[in-house]
Amino acid sequence: MNIYTKQYIHEVKALFPSKGKKERDYLKKLRITIDEYCEEEHINNKQAIYEKYGKPIDIVYDYYSALDTEVIVKKIRLASFFKIFISVLVLAALLSALAFSYRQYQLHLIDLRQEMVGVEEEIIVTGNWDDDGNPIPLDYNPYADSVDETVPTESLK
């Protein structure tokens, strides 16, 4: 296929509001016709295609002017229905992803709080313990000679 034919068909495709089976068949036939014309006449610019077939808007206008108005309206309604359906579907997917993310975040916060409670318990439970498993008081002085010397000093009271 000639590069100029490809560009011309691309411009025509861009102007079709909906591309159903009939439009695709029409574009295939148009592409074959223009490609054969370019090969026979050795066309090497797009201007020659414009002179022979007209501007892309003229091609689209001729196609739709040959169709019945009811068919055109039905195609436009169907295309708008699909656009709305896809928009609602994307919106629903977005909202469900948002809800899932929020739920995962809440679960993460709950796990984090439980871990923090465990850390606080460890801080409370951990300390100095004697060999029998009893807690050692904070004012205990292991280097004292008697029990009287283990009485807390003024700075510890």
Side-chain angles (χ1 to χ4, degrees):
M1 179 186 307
N2 188 337
I3 189 169
Y4 303 110
T5 304
K6 190 180 270 189
Q7 289 174 353
Y8 187 79
I9 294 297
H10 182 72
E11 291 172 6
V12 172
K13 271 186 189 179
L15 294 174
F16 272 98
S18 65
K19 294 170 196 76
K21 183 174 173 39
K22 291 180 181 180
E23 286 84 3
R24 288 192 304 265
D25 290 341
Y26 178 76
L27 287 170
K28 279 183 188 177
K29 290 176 186 176
L30 181 65
R31 180 182 7 224
I32 291 169
T33 304
I34 294 173
D35 202 31
E36 288 174 356
Y37 169 72
C38 289
E39 286 178 11
E40 290 173 4
E41 300 294 325
H42 303 292
I43 303 298
N44 57 4
N45 61 17
K46 212 170 12 173
Q47 189 61 35
I49 298 173
Y50 282 150
E51 290 172 4
K52 173 74 175 173
Y53 293 98
K55 293 181 180 179
I57 191 75
D58 297 333
I59 298 290
V60 175
Y61 177 76
D62 291 341
Y63 176 78
Y64 279 111
S65 64
L67 291 178
D68 187 29
T69 307
E70 290 180 23
V71 173
I72 296 170
V73 170
K74 191 183 258 187
K75 285 183 183 230
I76 291 172
R77 284 185 183 161
L78 187 63
S80 78
F81 171 75
F82 279 125
K83 288 176 185 175
I84 291 171
F85 177 74
I86 289 173
S87 298
V88 168
L89 193 65
V90 167
L91 183 63
L94 181 66
L95 289 176
S96 64
L98 186 64
F100 177 77
S101 298
Y102 181 73
R103 180 66 182 147
Q104 289 299 106
Y105 175 71
Q106 292 298 323
L107 290 175
H108 175 70
L109 288 179
I110 290 170
D111 290 342
L112 194 60
R113 286 184 193 127
Q114 288 174 351
E115 287 178 17
M116 292 303 290
V117 167
V119 169
E120 289 174 2
E121 286 176 2
E122 286 179 15
I123 292 171
I124 293 170
V125 173
T126 58
N128 295 326
W129 301 85
D130 64 5
D131 295 334
D132 296 330
N134 298 321
I136 299 176
L138 293 176
D139 59 353
Y140 176 72
N141 184 359
Y143 302 109
D145 293 332
S146 68
V147 176
D148 294 332
E149 293 179 5
T150 61
V151 177
T153 60
E154 289 297 320
S155 63
L156 293 176
K157 286 184 182 179

